């Protein structure tokens, strides 16, 4: 979940509530869903929150939410923007993989150290979340005074910069945190930031690049040039975002613009000139969605008056009007009432009218809702498979077995090699394994194809515990099988081991007989060969005529392999054999 | 007459004329005192013995008291030394007299205190005067000690007490810690007339046996035998039965509660298409939780079949949203990605399958479904996190469900596990809105802990599945509940091949 670092003094200043102590702020923020996590080394307070309200990734955004909560602000606020002076020209050479760009010009900026830190933090957090680690959207912020726009036309004036694509070795610039000229290709290999983000564009034929009249000054999504580096002295900024989706980078841009506007800066439009269209950005268009009064009341289980609902919307930073000709103060608000709700352009999470219902609930306070048990009659019951498992477990524990619960993930080493089993063999345990594509531990590389190896491992790990150790498990096993819809044949097996100084085949078979007796199925045990068991002391478990498992005395080599110093009799078979036909 | 062996012995040892204390009967009968006592009372109940109880006081010399019998009481020794030094005429120096009396250590204080108390003389400014008329050689305390010592061996304190009948003197000796006073009940027994008659007619011991045998039962011999007594308090050898795994017990308990609340159990594949695990849940394909870091992708071909019209509707929801005012995600979506097989990261895949109508047919409201099944998350394996764990999953479908119904259901569920005062913290999930994290207080520590995640399924989830009613859902880790109810601190003791058999054998049962 996202974490935002907040300087409490900044928060007090930006909300205009100097009287609030740190504890008050923590409690107020908890009400908004921001949970206090701790303090940074620099004394900033860290808050964790759900990844829906990404507009709260900065102290400015958190302050805005708090002002709505306090009732200091109401409704939708959209910053004024000045007309465009700059044009971002999108060149036809721009990489196909990253065709979109957006941005804004910011004037009258006055950032102190804290303000600059907050801006950089917001940029990084947006990269990590909406930007999908810069793959989907990357932000570059530049000192505008260091940029020399190309003059667009003699009459109208106006400046332009160009977003294009260049050969990896096609140009050079001095990147941030460096003092030498490098090609983009060299940045990816030699610059620490370049190495971090190299994977994002490694497959591109042409690398993204932004030019002004003086040359290359930004290499998105990797790094800016040093020439346009932002400092506390910067008074005018150029913000550019590139990415794989226009909507995403536009919203990221809006969140940045709102944060800077909250610090008193003026936003100036830019024109984005694509080959086939021209966009004016930032896109501060207010979206609207319609919600019915009925849906709000039904979802929250509370009756409201129209004016109350409108008030709750405004306290959420939204605006609402009753869509019909009905009067907002009309007490006869009924199910038919429809609200037209305006949504500010920094919100990224409102996909559907029900997201607005959630806002009403939060503003009303979900704590205020009285829980009620729904008056709905249904009949409960267990799944047949689950009842069969429970009955089998019951029979096993009645016979004195300790019921175990092992992981379904295991390794070839455990399920084949250490049990003497050959992959692909036609005896129990020889089936094709279901392999995990990218295992992170050599202990968990496959789904186990049989259960006995797990029980033998438990014996191995408990040689210091009292004997006899009679262990059993009813659990999942799986084999690769392309005839199954999910390509994985999942079964439940019943496995048992009897580790005791005088354990014999007979001990295992006696228990097998008892279980089969309980479930009224016929058991036969014709001799078989299985490399995990001693020759001549292993039998196939045939239940109602079907060979479904194996029973016998474990082979001494298997015992020694698992550091066991006493005989073990064992069995394993398919649980479904016990089910009534 | 046949009587048990100890009773026969006691009867033979008892006398019709003398009151014999039980201790002596035990000695003579060769029985342990408690066995003899029990036999005496049994014989009294049968009218063969009379038992008399008397409260007695006995005195026993302490080690210090015994010492003074030979050495003399310290104050007497001091008096003798003082007279020798002529203190009956003129005061003498105290230190020298103490030396002459061979007193040292605590004896000095004892001597000085009692010297004054008994009127042997006085002490002033370090000088000692003695009263020549004091009868120190006939000190009653010394005499009492001597008398008690003399009879000590004869074990007849009554006689000794007759000599020392001055209670004040005895109290004084007890307070000086030279004597210990014991008060006890002495029981004595005499044969009744019936007892005498029985003895004259002859009394035999009944046979004592170790085990009741089938032969004794069939022959009726059991009526004439006496069973040897066991030490019923001794520990018996250890016996262990099999036990259902403690986590399974918790799972069974959860299932019981949910079935009682009207929930039906779901079942379905552990390895499933991402479509069922994530896409139906309106999780965008570029969501961080869907990267290869968090899931266990399986090296098998993509799923063979998923209903084509459902795929289309789900894709449409992702791209365009649902409803007139709905927006989709601005994220890529591909069917190939959706068809890839992975181990399920939550059992909500089962809920999707059931809600879609592919498992048990189209469902009409109201419905309640649940599962308590394994899920797989690529997390760090430590004391509180496992790669595989059980998720409790549940949902309710009905017309016009509200957030209040959701809250009421969970309040009821958690109350069954002793967790009251459930708190609902507004939360965000891609698949539910509104969403809540559930918190509850640990029943013993009072700590506020997260106990679940819940919400109302979004229209973008339900509409593609063809569900036209409200569905509320929730999930939580069973292990979290089990750690609360069993007190386990390391989850690896419970689950997996590192399980400690002793922990499992000793685990308290859940009910």
């Amino acid at each position: 979940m996202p974490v935002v670092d907040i300087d409490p003094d900044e928060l007090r200043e930006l909300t205009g509530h100097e009287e609030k102590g740190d504890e008050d702020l923590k409690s107020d923020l908890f009400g908004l869903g921001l949970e206090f996590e701790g303090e940074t080394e620099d004394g900033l307070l860290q808050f964790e929150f759900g990844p829906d309200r990404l507009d709260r990734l900065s102290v400015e955004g958190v302050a805005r939410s708090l002002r709505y909560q306090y009732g200091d602000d109401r409704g939708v606020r959209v910053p004024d923007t000045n007309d465009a002076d700059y044009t971002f020209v999108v060149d036809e050479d721009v990489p196909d993989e990253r065709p979109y760009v957006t941005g804004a010009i910011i004037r009258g900026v006055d950032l102190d150290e804290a303000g600059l830190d907050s801006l950089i933090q917001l940029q990084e957090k947006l990269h990590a979340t909406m930007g999908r680690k810069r793959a989907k959207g990357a932000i570059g912020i530049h000192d505008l005074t260091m940029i020399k726009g190309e003059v667009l036309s003699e009459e109208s004036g106006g400046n332009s910069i160009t977003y294009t694509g260049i050969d990896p070795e096609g140009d050079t610039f001095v990147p941030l945190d460096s003092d030498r000229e490098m090609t983009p290709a060299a940045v990816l290999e030699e610059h620490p930031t370049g190495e971090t983000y190299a994977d994002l564009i490694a497959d591109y034929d042409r690398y993204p690049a932004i030019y002004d009249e003086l040359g290359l000054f930004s290499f998105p999504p990797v790094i800016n040039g040093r020439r346009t580096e932002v400092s506390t002295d910067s008074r005018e900024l150029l913000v550019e975002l590139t990415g794989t989706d226009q909507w995403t980078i536009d919203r990221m841009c809006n969140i940045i613009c709102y944060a800077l506007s909250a610090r008193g800066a003026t936003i100036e439009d830019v024109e984005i000139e694509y080959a086939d269209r021209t966009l004016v950005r930032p896109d501060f268009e207010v979206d609207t969605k319609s919600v019915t009064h009925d849906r709000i009341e039904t979802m929250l289980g509370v009756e409201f008056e129209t004016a109350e609902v409108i008030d709750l919307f405004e306290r959420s930073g939204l605006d609402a009007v009753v869509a019909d000709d009905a009067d907002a103060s009309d007490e006869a608000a009924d199910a038919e009432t429809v609200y037209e709700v305006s949504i500010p352009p920094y919100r990224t999470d409102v996909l559907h009218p029900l997201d607005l219902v959630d806002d009403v609930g939060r503003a009303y306070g979900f704590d205020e809702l009285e829980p009620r048990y729904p008056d709905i009659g249904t009949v409960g019951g267990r799944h047949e498979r689950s009842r069969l498992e429970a009955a089998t477990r019951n029979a096993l524990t009645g016979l004195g077995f300790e019921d175990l619960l092992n992981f379904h993930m295991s390794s070839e080493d455990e399920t084949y090699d250490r049990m003497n089993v050959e992959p692909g063999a036609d005896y129990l345990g020889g089936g094709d394994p279901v392999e995990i594509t990218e295992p992170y531990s050599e202990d968990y590389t496959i789904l186990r194809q049989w259960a006995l190896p797990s029980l033998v491992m438990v014996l191995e790990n408990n040689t210091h515990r009292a004997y006899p150790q009679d262990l059993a498990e009813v659990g999942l096993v799986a084999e690769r099988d392309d005839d199954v819809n999910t390509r994985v044949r999942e079964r439940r097996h019943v496995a048992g081991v009897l580790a005791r100084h005088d354990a014999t085949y007979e001990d295992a078979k006696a228990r097998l007989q008892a279980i089969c007796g309980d479930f009224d199925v016929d058991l036969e045990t014709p001799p078989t060969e299985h490399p995990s068991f001693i020759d001549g002391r292993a039998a196939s478990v045939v239940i109602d005529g079907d060979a479904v498992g194996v029973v016998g005395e474990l082979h001494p080599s298997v015992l020694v392999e698992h550091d066991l110093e006493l005989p073990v009799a064992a069995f394993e078979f398919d649980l479904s054999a016990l089910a009534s036909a | 007459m046949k009587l048990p062996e100890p009773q026969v012995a006691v009867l033979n040892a008892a006398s019709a004329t003398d009151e014999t204390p039980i201790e002596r009967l035990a000695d003579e009968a060769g029985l342990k005192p408690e066995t003899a006592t029990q036999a005496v009372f049994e014989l009294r109940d049968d009218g063969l013995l009379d038992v008399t109880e008397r409260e007695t006081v006995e005195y026993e010399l302490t080690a210090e008291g015994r010492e003074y019998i030979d050495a003399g009481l310290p104050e007497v020794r001091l008096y003798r030394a003082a007279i020798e030094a002529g203190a009956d005429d003129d005061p003498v120096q105290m230190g020298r007299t103490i030396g002459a009396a061979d007193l040292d250590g605590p004896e000095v204080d004892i001597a000085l205190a009692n010297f004054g108390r008994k009127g042997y003389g006085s002490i002033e400014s370090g000088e000692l005067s003695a009263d020549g008329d004091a009868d120190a050689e006939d000190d009653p305390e010394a005499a009492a000690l001597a008398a008690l010592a003399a009879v000590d061996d004869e074990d007849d304190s009554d006689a000794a007490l007759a000599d020392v009948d001055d209670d004040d003197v005895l109290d004084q000796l007890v307070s000086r810690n030279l004597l210990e006073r014991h008060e006890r009940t002495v029981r004595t027994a005499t044969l009744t007339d019936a007892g005498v008659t029985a003895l004259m007619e002859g009394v035999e011991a009944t046979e004592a046996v170790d085990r009741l045998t089938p032969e004794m039962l069939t022959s009726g011999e059991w009526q004439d035998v006496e069973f040897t007594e066991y030490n019923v308090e001794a520990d018996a050898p250890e016996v262990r039965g099999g036990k259902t795994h403690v986590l399974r017990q918790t799972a069974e308990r959860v299932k019981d509660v949910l079935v009682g609340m009207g929930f039906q159990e779901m079942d379905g594949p552990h390895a499933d298409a991402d479509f069922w695990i994530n896409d139906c849940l309106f999780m965008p394909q570029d969501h961080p939780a869907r990267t290869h870091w968090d899931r266990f992708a399986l090296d098998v071909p993509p799923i063979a079949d998923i209903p084509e019209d459902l795929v289309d509707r789900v894709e449409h929801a992702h791209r365009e949203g649902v409803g007139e005012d709905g927006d989709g995600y601005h994220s890529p979506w591909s069917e190939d990605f959706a068809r890839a097989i992975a181990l399920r990261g939550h059992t909500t895949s089962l809920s999707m399958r059931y809600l879609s109508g592919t498992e048990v047919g189209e469902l009409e409201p109201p419905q309640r479904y649940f599962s308590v099944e394994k899920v797989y998350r690529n997390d760090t394996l430590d004391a509180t996190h496992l790669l595989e764990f059980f998720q409790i999953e549940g949902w309710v479908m009905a017309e016009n469900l509200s957030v209040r119904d959701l809250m009421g259901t969970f309040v009821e569920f958690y109350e069954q596990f002793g967790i009251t005062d459930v708190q609902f913290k507004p939360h965000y999930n891609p698949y539910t809105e509104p969403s809540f994290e559930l918190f509850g207080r640990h029943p013993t520590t009072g700590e506020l802990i997260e106990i679940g995640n819940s919400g109302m399924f979004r229209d973008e989830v339900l509409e593609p599945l063809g569900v036209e009613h409200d569905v509320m859902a929730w999930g939580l880790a069973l292990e979290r509940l089990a750690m609360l109810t069993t007190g386990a601190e390391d989850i690896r003791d419970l689950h997996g091949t590192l399980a400690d058999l002793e922990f499992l054998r000793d685990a308290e049962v859940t009910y």
Side-chain angles (χ1 to χ4, degrees), chain B residues 467-484:
Chain B
V467 176
E468 290 167 358
H469 307 280
D470 295 333
V471 179
M472 63 191 208
W474 91 107
L476 87 144
L478 176 73
E479 279 79 353
R480 194 171 277 268
L481 204 56
M483 286 175 87
L484 281 186

Side-chain angles (χ1 to χ4, degrees), chain A residues 465-540:
Chain A
R465 297 303 184 200
Y467 286 99
Q469 293 178 4
D470 298 349
L471 315 178
E473 180 174 6
V474 182
L476 185 93
V477 299
E479 283 178 15
R480 166 86 179 259
D481 185 343
D482 289 353
D483 293 338
V484 175
N485 192 30
T486 59
R487 318 302 187 175
V488 176
R489 184 170 296 283
E490 299 178 13
R491 291 191 176 96
R492 265 78 183 179
H493 275 193
V494 182
V497 291
L498 298 142
R500 28 177 84 201
H501 72 275
D502 56 354
T504 65
Y505 172 84
E506 205 171 45
D507 294 316
K509 175 155 182 190
R511 284 157 181 82
L512 207 50
Q513 284 172 182
I515 294 165
C516 289
D518 283 349
F519 286 85
D520 193 23
V521 291
D522 286 332
L523 172 70
E524 291 167 89
T525 54
T528 191
E529 283 181 14
H530 191 295
S532 301
F533 297 89
I534 297 173
D535 279 349
R537 297 187 177 190
S540 176

Side-chain angles (χ1 to χ4, degrees), chain A residues 70-109:
Chain A
Y70 294 153
D72 297 339
D73 282 332
R74 301 179 73 82
V76 175
R77 195 190 69 83
V78 179
D80 292 330
T81 57
N82 292 335
D83 290 343
D85 175 40
Y86 268 81
T87 299
F88 293 6
V89 178
V90 182
D91 189 78
E92 61 177 15
D93 282 344
V94 83
D96 296 339
E97 301 90 339
R98 203 173 183 86
Y100 301 108
V101 64
T102 192
I105 300 292
I106 318 286
R107 300 201 191 260
V109 181

Side-chain angles (χ1 to χ4, degrees), chain A residues 1 30 33 35 50-52 132 136 245 247-248 287-290 295 298-301 350-355 358 362 366-367 369-374 376-383 385-386 389-390 393 397 400-409 434-438 440 444 447 454 457-458 461-462 465-466 468-469 471 474 476 480 482 485-488 490 492, chain B residues 240 242-245 247-248 252 255 259 261-265 267 269-272 282 286 288 292-293 296-305 322 325-331 341 343 366-368 373-374 376 378 386-388 390 398 400-405 407-409 412 424-428 433-434 436 456 458-460 495-502 504-505:
Chain A
M1 291 219 287
F30 189 84
E35 211 173 321
D52 51 341
R132 305 287 193 238
K136 200 172 184 181
D245 177 68
W247 183 91
T248 302
D287 190 16
T288 62
K289 292 193 191 299
S290 302
R295 181 112 204 221
T298 307
M299 182 69 93
L300 301 180
V350 183
L351 300 182
H352 190 277
L354 59 93
D355 294 306
D358 183 58
R362 288 183 193 232
F366 282 115
D367 288 350
L369 299 182
E370 185 77 22
R372 70 174 174 212
Y373 191 75
I376 301 163
T378 53
V379 177
R382 296 278 291 265
H383 193 277
R385 199 259 308 154
S386 147
E389 267 191 39
R393 229 169 251 130
T397 54
F401 285 104
E402 193 72 33
D403 174 40
L404 287 185
L405 187 57
N406 287 308
F407 295 137
H408 300 156
M409 287 188 286
V434 176
E435 292 176 45
I436 292 158
T437 307
E438 290 181 63
Y440 304 100
Y444 306 105
L447 286 178
S454 307
M457 284 169 76
V458 176
N461 289 326
N462 282 279
R465 297 303 184 200
Q469 293 178 4
L471 315 178
V474 182
L476 185 93
R480 166 86 179 259
D482 289 353
N485 192 30
T486 59
R487 318 302 187 175
V488 176
E490 299 178 13
R492 265 78 183 179
Chain B
R240 284 205 178 90
K243 197 193 282 186
T244 305
H245 192 279
L247 211 51
R248 289 279 185 204
E252 290 296 306
K255 291 182 183 190
V259 168
M261 289 171 74
F263 285 78
Q264 283 275 351
E265 191 173 13
D267 186 42
H270 291 237
D272 208 349
F282 199 51
D286 64 352
H292 65 289
W293 297 107
F296 289 107
L298 299 179
D299 190 14
V300 295
I303 194 164
D305 286 318
V322 304
D325 277 347
D327 294 327
Y329 286 122
H330 301 269
S331 297
I341 306 283
L343 291 174
Q367 299 286 347
R368 287 186 173 95
E373 292 288 333
K374 273 261 181 91
Y376 307 81
N378 190 16
L386 294 175
L387 304 181
E388 302 179 13
F390 283 88
N400 296 334
L401 282 174
S402 81
V403 167
R404 291 177 57 198
D405 297 311
M407 291 175 165
T409 299
E412 189 66 34
F424 299 84
K425 183 181 156 231
H427 184 60
Y428 168 74
E433 184 86 325
F436 302 94
M456 316 288 286
R458 296 183 67 98
D459 290 12
E460 292 92 332
H495 198 156
T497 49
L498 293 175
D500 182 350
L501 278 184
E502 188 160 278
L504 294 178
R505 284 167 166 168

